[in-house]
Amino acid sequence: VNQQFQDFFSALYFSVVALSTVGFGDMVPVTAAGRAVTVVSIVVGLCIIPYQASLVAAAVAEEQQKGEQKRNPAMADTNAEALLTYLEQKRNP
């Protein structure tokens, strides 16, 4: 048992520091099991965080597209023919 991790909040502090890649070095796992848990946590974090960020980015892009379609109904179809028609109408009112 690592004496540095005497309570839940010490372990939580270490997890946040490790997963954020700050790595202050004031607390380190000393056992092989502790190091293994840390490595697995970091790898899982490296996979989950970008995935969640991509979901947020996709949701934001979808909302922006919906807003654009509400402002410009002619842009509802995003194919090239519709775009050319829309631009032609704007150019020659």
Side-chain angles (χ1 to χ4, degrees), residues 9-70:
F9 295 105
S10 296
L12 180 65
Y13 167 78
F14 171 76
S15 298
V16 170
V17 169
L19 290 174
S20 66
T21 68
V22 172
F24 292 129
D26 56 342
M27 301 177 90
V28 295
V30 294
T31 64
R35 290 181 180 148
V37 168
T38 302
V39 168
V40 169
S41 297
I42 290 171
V43 170
V44 168
L46 288 173
C47 295
I48 290 175
I49 291 171
Y51 173 71
Q52 290 175 334
S54 71
L55 293 178
V56 170
V60 168
E62 184 178 335
E63 288 300 316
Q64 286 178 340
Q65 185 176 12
K66 285 180 184 177
E68 183 64 29
Q69 288 175 355
K70 285 180 183 178

